[in-house]
């Protein structure tokens, strides 16, 4: 098994804890609902990404030791269609309504909530995650109750769905006839044709000339000044899209990718359509989230990497999907040049 010590994952400030880090939680009933049923139309707007090559990995010198953002290497990809936004609460609600699917947060009975976002009785708070006390295990927290039992997604239909594990994202893809992007596809699309740039918009700081992404402002983890307008998630179409038409590939929520994670992936990755290691213990997450901060956690960069176990769910991670082969007619399409 690959050694991922020192990499950004459950132990980094803006990352989120794996289920194993809630050490005081005993065995749980992880019985799942029946597998998703028939496929249904995926209605998220599509961005068509042209075939081409790009340089994958960090070019800014800001990479985080242990994350495996280097060595930089050239990658060639075929054209593909990717969701212009992350899957939203409204999108996920249609999937649940159609299939009766229960997420892993619902099956396990709890999920990870940032301490300032908890909306639940004190008795529902199981306790902090080992090593990251700003993350609390909250009973009843799930995609429809992102802060716990006293919260809903009313009025948040256009926000990214959160509290979905990698396994939940896969279930949605099965229903929709889609798949998760590979890590290489995700980075290529996020860069928007700006090869070597630090961010989707270029190299300017995230707050230069107005906020460009939803991240933390203030003193983490206790004071958020809300300069960008949001404590937790922002609408999926907030801020500006990149040159390929993607909204918020960085900030807002971490996004699950298809690949198994290894900090040494780039030392052995093929040059054409890399798909990551054949096995592993955690899956790749990309893009950073609303908990990233300029001063201490700069993982809202194009090349930044994180990871978590496939069954883990948290209030700052969601996903977007890619058209499976032969299904590129799904959703409205936008082509940017």
């Amino acid at each position: 098994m690959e050694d991922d010590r020192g990499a950004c994952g459950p132990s980094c400030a803006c990352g989120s804890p794996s289920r194993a880090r809630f050490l005081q939680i005993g065995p749980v009933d992880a019985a799942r609902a029946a597998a998703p049923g028939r496929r249904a139309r995926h209605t998220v707007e599509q961005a068509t990404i042209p075939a081409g090559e790009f340089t994958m990995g960090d070019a800014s010198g800001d990479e985080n030791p242990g994350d495996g953002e280097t060595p930089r290497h050239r990658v060639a990809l075929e054209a593909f269609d990717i969701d212009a936004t992350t899957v939203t609460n409204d999108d996920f609600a249609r999937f649940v309504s159609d299939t009766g699917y229960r997420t892993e947060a619902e099956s396990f009975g709890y999920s990870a909530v940032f301490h300032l976002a908890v909306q639940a009785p004190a008795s529902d708070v199981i306790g902090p995650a080992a090593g990251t006390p700003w993350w609390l295990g909250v009973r009843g927290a799930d995609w429809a109750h992102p802060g716990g039992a006293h919260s809903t997604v009313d009025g948040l239909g256009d926000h990214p769905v959160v509290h979905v594990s990698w396994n939940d994202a896969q279930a949605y893809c099965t229903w929709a006839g889609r798949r998760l992007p590979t890590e290489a596809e995700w980075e290529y699309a996020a860069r928007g044709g700006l090869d070597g740039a630090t961010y989707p918009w270029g190299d300017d700081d995230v707050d230069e000339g107005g906020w460009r992404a939803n991240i933390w402002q203030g003193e983490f983890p206790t004071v958020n000044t809300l300069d960008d307008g949001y404590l937790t998630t922002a609408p999926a179409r907030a801020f500006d899209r990149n040159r390929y038409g993607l909204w918020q590939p960085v900030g807002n929520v971490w996004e699950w990718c298809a690949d198994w994670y290894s900090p040494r992936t780039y030392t052995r990755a093929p040059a054409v359509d890399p798909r990551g290691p054949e096995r592993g213990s955690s899956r790749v997450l990309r893009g950073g989230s609303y908990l990233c901060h300029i001063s201490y956690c700069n993982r809202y960069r194009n090349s930044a990497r994180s990871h978590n176990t496939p069954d883990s769910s948290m209030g700052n991670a969601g996903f977007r999907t890619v058209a499976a082969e032969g299904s590129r007619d799904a959703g409205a399409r936008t082509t940017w040049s």
Side-chain angles (χ1 to χ4, degrees):
M1 182 177 295
E2 297 287 356
D3 183 358
D4 60 7
R5 289 173 295 179
C8 177
S11 61
C12 73
C14 66
S16 42
S18 66
R19 292 202 183 275
R21 287 187 174 265
F22 293 99
L23 300 180
Q24 66 272 60
I25 296 174
V28 295
D29 178 8
R32 307 301 306 280
R38 62 178 179 83
R39 292 183 178 182
R41 187 167 181 264
H42 177 73
T43 60
V44 177
E45 176 191 0
Q46 297 296 286
T48 295
I49 311 302
E53 295 186 5
F54 77 109
T55 303
M56 190 170 183
D58 178 69
S60 66
D62 293 331
E63 72 270 9
N64 295 287
D67 284 358
E69 295 183 54
T70 56
R72 298 178 70 213
H73 55 291
R74 295 293 288 175
V75 171
L77 295 171
E78 295 295 322
F80 59 95
D81 287 353
I82 188 170
D83 293 341
T85 70
T86 50
V87 171
T88 66
N89 288 315
D90 281 347
D91 298 320
F92 202 77
R94 285 191 292 272
F95 158 59
V96 170
S97 176
D98 193 48
T99 64
Y101 183 80
R102 295 182 71 231
T103 61
E104 292 197 299
E106 293 168 284
S107 294
F108 279 99
Y110 73 97
S111 192
V113 181
F114 183 65
H115 72 113
L116 296 182
V118 173
Q119 299 178 58
S123 59
D124 284 351
V125 178
I126 298 166
T132 53
W134 45 86
W135 282 108
L136 302 176
V138 178
R139 295 186 181 92
D142 56 47
W143 76 270
H145 307 89
H150 291 167
S151 66
T152 72
V153 291
D154 291 349
L156 302 177
D158 61 346
H159 285 232
V161 66
V162 293
H163 294 294
V164 286
S165 68
W166 186 91
N167 294 324
D168 296 330
Q170 283 289 100
Y172 177 96
C173 287
T174 298
W175 167 79
R178 309 279 294 178
R179 63 179 176 85
L180 291 175
T182 66
E183 186 175 13
E185 288 172 333
W186 187 95
E187 184 171 326
Y188 183 43
R191 290 184 176 280
L194 299 179
D195 203 10
T198 303
Y199 308 109
W201 56 85
D203 292 317
D204 292 340
D205 289 340
V206 65
D207 59 344
E208 186 169 330
W211 287 95
R212 302 170 186 264
N214 177 19
I215 61 171
W216 184 276
Q217 304 92 48
E219 295 183 18
F220 186 88
T222 57
V223 178
N224 190 328
T225 60
L226 305 181
D227 290 351
D228 66 6
Y230 305 99
L231 174 65
T232 59
T233 59
R237 290 175 179 266
F239 307 98
D240 292 329
R241 61 172 91 190
N242 74 4
R243 293 187 181 185
Y244 282 164
L246 271 67
W247 299 88
Q248 297 193 84
V250 302
N252 214 17
V253 295
W254 286 100
E255 300 180 20
W256 289 110
C257 291
D259 308 40
W260 288 109
Y261 172 82
S262 167
R264 291 184 288 277
T265 294
Y266 294 177
T267 66
R268 61 193 72 171
V272 178
D273 191 24
R275 306 232 162 193
E278 293 183 0
R279 61 185 65 87
S281 60
S282 60
R283 296 284 186 173
V284 171
L285 287 154
R286 285 301 207 108
S289 81
Y290 57 77
L291 296 182
C292 287
H293 188 277
I294 293 173
S295 66
Y296 71 86
C297 173
N298 61 349
R299 289 182 173 91
Y300 51 93
R301 295 171 291 107
N302 290 325
S303 62
R305 311 175 74 215
S306 186
H307 61 101
N308 211 328
T309 57
D311 66 347
S312 292
S313 62
M314 63 293 297
N316 70 335
F319 66 102
R320 72 180 76 212
T321 73
V322 168
E325 289 74 8
S327 62
R328 291 188 60 188
D329 58 344
R333 182 174 302 170
T334 298
T335 303
W336 284 50
S337 59

